[in-house]
C-alpha cells in the first residue's frame, strides 16, 4: 500500500500484532498488502466463522477493508467496461451492416443489455427488439432478451407493456427466474415474488454440479446486495467462475465471439461494498477504540462509495464525537464537510476545503484532499491549485501519492491526457503492471487513459496482467481486443487465451 493512502494503517496494524501468530491471519493481510483483494476477502470470510470472540472485531474490520478495496476496484472497472462494451458491440453490428449480412446473432442482445445497464432504455428497446426478430433464436436467449426488454420498457415509462412481456415468461426455469427476480427488484415491482423466485433459482443453481452461469450469478449478487444477504452472496461467488463469458458464438473456423454480462462488475462492486458496511458495523461494537473508530471511519467511506452521502456524513460525525487522535480527526472533519456538501449538491464544487490546506501542509495531506475529490467526482479548485504547485516544485521527482491523486482526479474529469501524465509518473517503473507494486485502481485508470488515447496495446497489456488476479477483467480485455482487431482491419480471432 502506498504511503498516504491510509493514515489509519497504524491503528489497523497494532491490533493485528495481538494475533500475528496465526498463519491464516498473516497470509490474509499479506494478500491485502499485495493488492490481492479478492483472495484476501475470501480468506478472511472463511476465517470469520471460526474466529474466537477476542479476535472477531479486528477480523471483521480487516475483512471490511478488503471488501471495500474490492468494491472500489470493481467500481472503477465498471466505469470503463460498459462504455467500452457498447463501443465494441456497435462496431460489431456496423461491420455486419457494411457487409450486408449479419454474422453475429447475439450482438444485438448484448448491446441491448449493455445500453439498459447504461441507463439508455430507448436504444436498448431498439436493439432487443431487433434481436428478437432474428429467426431461429434459442429459447434461453429469447427469455433473456424478453426479460431485459421488459426492464427497458419499464425504465422508459411503459409499465403496462413491461408487465405484459414479463407475464409471459416461465418462473420455474432457474436461469429465467434469477434474471426475472433481479428485473423485478430493479424496477420496484412484484416485491412479494422476488425472494421466492430468487430462492428457487439459487437452490437449483447451487445444487447443480456445474458452475453458476455468470449472468445468473450477476443477478443473484445484485439481489443479495440490495437485501443485505451477504452470506448467500458469498456462496454464489464460491460457485462462479468470474472470467466466464455469458455466451460464445462461433462465426466460422477462424472467428469466435464471446459475450459478457454487462452488469457483473457493477454488481460485484455493490455486493462487496455492502459486505464492507456489514463488516464495519460489526467491528464498531468493539470496546477497543483502535478498532471501533477505524471501522466507523471506513464505514463512512463505504457509504460514500454507494452515494449514501447522508449516512456517510452522519457516520463521520460519530467518529468526530468520539474525540479521535489528531490525524484521524482532521481527515474525518474534511470528509464530513465533503459528504455533507455532496449530499446537498452532486454537481457544485466543494467549498471550504481551504482551511484544510495550510501553507505548511504536507504532500500527503494535499494528496488526501485531491483523492477525496476524485472519489466523489467533484471539483476542488483550491486543493487542485495547491497540488499542482507542489507537483511543479518537485522538479521531475514528484511523489507517487501526489501523482496518483492528480491522475485519479483527472480520470474523474474524463481527461485521458492528464490522467496519463500523472499516473505514468506515479506507477512503479520497474514493475509497471504488477499489482503487487501498483494499486489496482491506478492501473485500471491508466488502462482507461491508454484506451481513450487509442494506445490499445498498452491498455491490453495492463488488462492481461490484472486478469490473472481479477478474472472478471477478462470482459474488458476481450472487448478491447475486438476493437483493436477492427481498428487494424484484422480478421483475427476475438478470443484471448
Amino acid at each position: 500500500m502506498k504511503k498516504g493512502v491510509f493514515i489509519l494503517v497504524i491503528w489497523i496494524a497494532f491490533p493485528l500484532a495481538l494475533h500475528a501468530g496465526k498463519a491464516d491471519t498473516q497470509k490474509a493481510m499479506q494478500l491485502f498488502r499485495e493488492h490481492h483483494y479478492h483472495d484476501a476477502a475470501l480468506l478472511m470470510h472463511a476465517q470469520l466463522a471460526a474466529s474466537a470472540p477476542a479476535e472477531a472485531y479486528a477480523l471483521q474490520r480487516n475483512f471490511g477493508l478488503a471488501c471495500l478495496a474490492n468494491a472500489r476496484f470493481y467500481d472503477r472497472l465498471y466505469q470503463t467496461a460498459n462504455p467500452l462494451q457498447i463501443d465494441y458491440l456497435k462496431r460489431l453490428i456496423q461491420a455486419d451492416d457494411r457487409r450486408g449480412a449479419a454474422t453475429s446473432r447475439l450482438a444485438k442482445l448484448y448491446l441491448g443489455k449493455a445500453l439498459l445497464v447504461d441507463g439508455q432504455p430507448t436504444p436498448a428497446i431498439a436493439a432487443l427488439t431487433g434481436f428478437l426478430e432474428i429467426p431461429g433464436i434459442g429459447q434461453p436467449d429469447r427469455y433473456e432478451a424478453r426479460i431485459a426488454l421488459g426492464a427497458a420498457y419499464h425504465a422508459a415509462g411503459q409499465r403496462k407493456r413491461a408487465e405484459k412481456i414479463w407475464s409471459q415468461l416461465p418462473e420455474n426455469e432457474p436461469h429465467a427466474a434469477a434474471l426475472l427476480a433481479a428485473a423485478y427488484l430493479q424496477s420496484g415491482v412484484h416485491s412479494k415474488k422476488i425472494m421466492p423466485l430468487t430462492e428457487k433459482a439459487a437452490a437449483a443453481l447451487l445444487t447443480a454440479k456445474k458452475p453458476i452461469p455468470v449472468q445468473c450469478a450477476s443477478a443473484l449478487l445484485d439481489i443479495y446486495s440490495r437485501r443485505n444477504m451477504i452470506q448467500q452472496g458469498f456462496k454464489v461467488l464460491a460457485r462462479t467462475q468470474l472470467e466466464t463469458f455469458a455466451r460464445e458464438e462461433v462465426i466460422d473456423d477462424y472467428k469466435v465471439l464471446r459475450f459478457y454480462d454487462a452488469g457483473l462488475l457493477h454488481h460485484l462492486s455493490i455486493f462487496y461494498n455492502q459486505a464492507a458496511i456489514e463488516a464495519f458495523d460489526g467491528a464498531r461494537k468493539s470496546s477497543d477504540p483502535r478498532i471501533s473508530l477505524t471501522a466507523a471511519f471506513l464505514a463512512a467511506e463505504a457509504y460514500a462509495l454507494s452515494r449514501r452521502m447522508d449516512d456517510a456524513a452522519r457516520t463521520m460525525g460519530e467518529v468526530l464525537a468520539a474525540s479521535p487522535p489528531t490525524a484521524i480527526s482532521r481527515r474525518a472533519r474534511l470528509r464530513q464537510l465533503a459528504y455533507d456538501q455532496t449530499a446537498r449538491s452532486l454537481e457544485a464544487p466543494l467549498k471550504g476545503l481551504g482551511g484544510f490546506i495550510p501553507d505548511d501542509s504536507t504532500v500527503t495531506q494535499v494528496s488526501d484532499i485531491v483523492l477525496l475529490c476524485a472519489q466523489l467526482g467533484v471539483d476542488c479548485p483550491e486543493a487542485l491549485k495547491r497540488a499542482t504547485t507542489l507537483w511543479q516544485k518537485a522538479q521531475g521527482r514528484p511523489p507517487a501519492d501526489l501523482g496518483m491523486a492528480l491522475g485519479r482526479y483527472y480520470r474523474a474529469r474524463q481527461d485521458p491526457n492528464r490522467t496519463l501524465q500523472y499516473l505514468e509518473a506515479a506507477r512503479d517503473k520497474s514493475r509497471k503492471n504488477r499489482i503487487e507494486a501498483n494499486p489496482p485502481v491506478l492501473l485500471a485508470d491508466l488502462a482507461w487513459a491508454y484506451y481513450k488515447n487509442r494506445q490499445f496495446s498498452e491498455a491490453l497489456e495492463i488488462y492481461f496482467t490484472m486478469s490473472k488476479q481479477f478474472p472478471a477483467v477478462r470482459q474488458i480485455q476481450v472487448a478491447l481486443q475486438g476493437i483493436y482487431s477492427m481498428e487494424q482491419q484484422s480478421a483475427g480471432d476475438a478470443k484471448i487465451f
Side-chain angles (χ1 to χ4, degrees):
M1 187 183 299
K2 287 184 177 293
K3 180 182 177 182
V5 175
F6 278 110
I7 293 176
L8 300 172
V9 74
I10 297 174
W11 270 38
I12 290 175
F14 186 83
L16 282 177
L18 299 175
H19 316 295
K22 293 196 176 284
D24 284 347
T25 299
Q26 288 182 318
K27 181 179 179 181
M29 288 309 296
Q30 181 63 29
L31 287 168
F32 177 77
R33 285 190 290 269
E34 292 177 351
H35 307 132
H36 290 219
Y37 304 142
H38 182 75
D39 289 344
L42 293 182
L43 181 55
M44 290 180 193
H45 180 259
Q47 293 171 6
L48 279 171
S51 62
E55 301 173 344
Y57 293 125
L59 185 55
Q60 282 179 311
R61 190 270 320 280
N62 297 329
F63 171 62
L65 186 59
C67 287
L68 180 57
N70 272 306
R72 284 174 168 159
F73 177 60
Y74 284 121
D75 181 63
R76 302 305 284 170
L77 289 179
Y78 168 69
Q79 292 178 36
T80 295
N82 211 46
L84 195 153
Q85 291 273 10
I86 291 171
D87 182 14
Y88 165 58
L89 292 166
K90 283 182 175 179
R91 288 172 185 246
L92 192 61
I93 293 168
Q94 289 168 359
D96 285 350
D97 290 343
R98 284 195 298 271
R99 285 192 292 265
T103 54
S104 172
R105 296 160 62 86
L106 295 174
K108 287 183 179 179
L109 168 60
Y110 285 91
L111 175 61
K113 294 187 70 174
L115 289 166
L116 178 60
V117 169
D118 199 51
Q120 301 183 55
T122 301
I125 290 169
L128 293 166
T129 302
F131 170 74
L132 287 167
E133 291 172 350
I134 299 173
I137 296 296
Q139 198 66 275
D141 292 328
R142 188 170 294 278
Y143 289 154
E144 195 164 325
R146 290 170 67 191
I147 292 168
L149 183 59
Y153 275 124
H154 194 280
Q158 300 185 52
R159 297 184 179 185
K160 290 184 178 179
R161 197 161 187 177
E163 292 283 3
K164 183 178 179 180
I165 292 172
W166 286 333
S167 68
Q168 299 169 354
L169 293 165
E171 296 185 352
N172 57 351
E173 197 280 318
H175 187 125
L179 300 183
L180 195 55
Y184 287 165
L185 186 59
Q186 291 164 6
S187 302
V189 300
H190 300 306
S191 59
K192 292 182 179 180
K193 283 188 172 185
I194 292 168
M195 291 317 300
L197 282 172
T198 301
E199 290 166 3
K200 184 185 299 184
L205 293 166
L206 287 168
T207 55
K209 294 183 179 179
K210 57 185 179 181
I212 296 176
V214 72
Q215 57 270 53
C216 296
S218 178
L220 291 173
L221 287 174
D222 185 28
I223 295 166
Y224 291 145
S225 301
R226 294 169 187 260
R227 292 295 172 92
N228 198 28
M229 299 171 68
I230 303 305
Q231 298 306 316
Q232 291 87 334
F234 273 102
K235 289 179 182 178
V236 170
L237 273 180
R239 290 289 311 282
T240 305
Q241 297 175 350
L242 294 177
E243 73 275 17
T244 308
F245 45 85
R247 289 282 275 108
E248 182 177 71
E249 187 175 32
V250 178
I251 303 301
D252 54 39
D253 291 341
Y254 303 99
K255 191 167 186 178
V256 176
L257 300 175
R258 288 174 176 172
F259 300 91
Y260 292 79
D261 184 82
L264 176 63
L265 295 172
H266 180 52
H267 296 155
L268 282 168
S269 177
I270 62 173
F271 172 75
Y272 270 119
N273 200 53
Q274 189 57 40
I277 290 171
E278 183 182 84
F280 293 141
D281 283 347
R284 290 173 66 184
K285 298 174 185 176
S286 172
S287 59
D288 186 341
R290 292 164 299 184
I291 297 174
S292 59
L293 277 178
T294 53
F297 185 102
L298 293 164
E301 294 207 324
Y303 283 131
L305 179 61
S306 60
R307 311 307 287 181
R308 295 165 60 180
M309 292 303 171
D310 288 330
D311 288 331
R314 172 185 53 77
T315 306
M316 205 59 82
E318 293 173 8
V319 173
L320 290 168
S323 302
T326 302
I328 295 179
S329 177
R330 181 187 175 281
R331 297 185 77 214
R333 285 199 307 273
L334 168 68
R335 279 157 175 75
Q336 186 186 41
L337 174 66
Y339 296 157
D340 186 59
Q341 288 189 28
T342 307
R344 296 196 300 271
S345 174
L346 296 177
E347 302 296 334
L350 294 184
K351 298 178 181 179
L353 300 187
F356 294 91
I357 317 174
D359 292 339
D360 62 347
S361 57
T362 65
V363 166
T364 297
Q365 290 171 334
V366 175
S367 299
D368 182 49
I369 298 173
V370 174
L371 192 59
L372 174 63
C373 298
Q375 290 171 346
L376 297 178
V378 293
D379 288 325
C380 298
E382 296 166 306
L384 182 62
K385 181 179 179 180
R386 178 64 174 153
T388 304
T389 299
L390 287 171
W391 182 271
Q392 292 168 347
K393 287 182 178 179
Q395 298 180 346
R397 299 181 59 124
D401 54 352
L402 183 60
M404 184 167 64
L406 284 166
R408 290 181 63 185
Y409 183 89
Y410 284 110
R411 165 65 179 93
R413 310 313 299 169
Q414 300 289 308
D415 185 336
N417 292 322
R418 288 184 177 176
T419 300
L420 278 177
Q421 173 190 349
Y422 293 115
L423 292 186
E424 284 184 331
R427 180 167 57 171
D428 186 308
K429 302 298 187 297
S430 61
R431 296 179 292 172
K432 63 179 186 176
N433 292 331
R434 295 287 300 275
I435 63 170
E436 294 83 1
N438 299 284
V441 169
L442 181 152
L443 293 175
D445 287 346
L446 193 57
W448 168 85
Y450 281 134
Y451 156 60
K452 286 294 185 179
N453 276 3
R454 303 170 69 81
Q455 295 174 259
F456 299 128
S457 295
E458 289 85 349
L460 283 167
E461 185 180 347
I462 292 174
Y463 288 133
F464 176 77
T465 303
M466 286 199 301
S467 69
K468 296 176 183 178
Q469 171 58 29
F470 297 99
V473 171
R474 194 87 159 182
Q475 66 172 261
I476 306 178
Q477 187 182 343
V478 168
L480 186 56
Q481 179 64 46
I483 291 173
Y484 188 29
S485 296
M486 294 178 201
E487 289 275 336
Q488 298 297 316
Q489 295 183 340
S490 168
D493 196 338
K495 290 190 292 186
I496 306 291
F497 294 99

